[in-house]
Amino acid sequence: MQRVVDRWLPPAPVESVMSRLPFTVNDCIDRIRSRVTAGDRVSFTDVLEGIDIRGEVVITLLALLELLKRYEVRAWQGTLFGEILIERLPADERPTE
């Protein structure tokens, strides 16, 4: 009977189940931008330096994908499961809309 009653109770507020992360995708985008403008190439591992939260690693990967979609950077791997290298995409190589 308790299972039936529990199904009809309202769910717990999101704040009590999950805490807000102390960073955003835009924060991670800014971190990647600053790293690629400071040098020619940077590895994804270098971008993740100092990060110890699994969620921030995932959000940083999403930030990289967003920068790729915007044609701000290019990324590649030399080998399967190899290091991801990132560099700024020159403006003259970006597609025109």
Side-chain angles (χ1 to χ4, degrees):
M1 182 65 175
Q2 186 62 41
R3 282 186 275 157
V4 173
V5 172
D6 288 343
R7 285 197 319 208
W8 294 105
L9 291 175
V14 172
E15 294 81 19
S16 68
V17 177
M18 184 175 182
S19 63
R20 182 173 286 271
L21 296 172
F23 52 85
T24 65
V25 174
N26 286 331
D27 294 336
C28 297
I29 285 174
D30 291 341
R31 182 181 331 112
I32 294 171
R33 279 183 182 148
S34 68
R35 297 299 298 267
V36 296
T37 56
D40 292 335
R41 291 181 184 152
V42 64
S43 70
F44 189 66
T45 303
D46 291 341
V47 172
L48 297 176
E49 189 173 304
I51 294 175
D52 56 356
I53 301 171
R54 183 179 294 186
E56 191 169 2
V57 172
V58 173
I59 300 299
T60 303
L61 180 60
L62 291 174
L64 174 59
L65 293 173
E66 181 63 27
L67 288 170
L68 288 165
K69 183 178 93 173
R70 295 179 185 179
Y71 297 104
E72 292 186 35
V73 299
R74 67 175 141 215
W76 69 95
Q77 290 177 292
T79 61
L80 186 63
F81 300 110
E83 186 66 55
I84 299 172
L85 299 174
I86 308 163
E87 70 181 8
R88 188 177 179 155
L89 186 63
D92 61 338
E93 293 183 30
R94 296 177 185 174
T96 57
E97 294 181 35

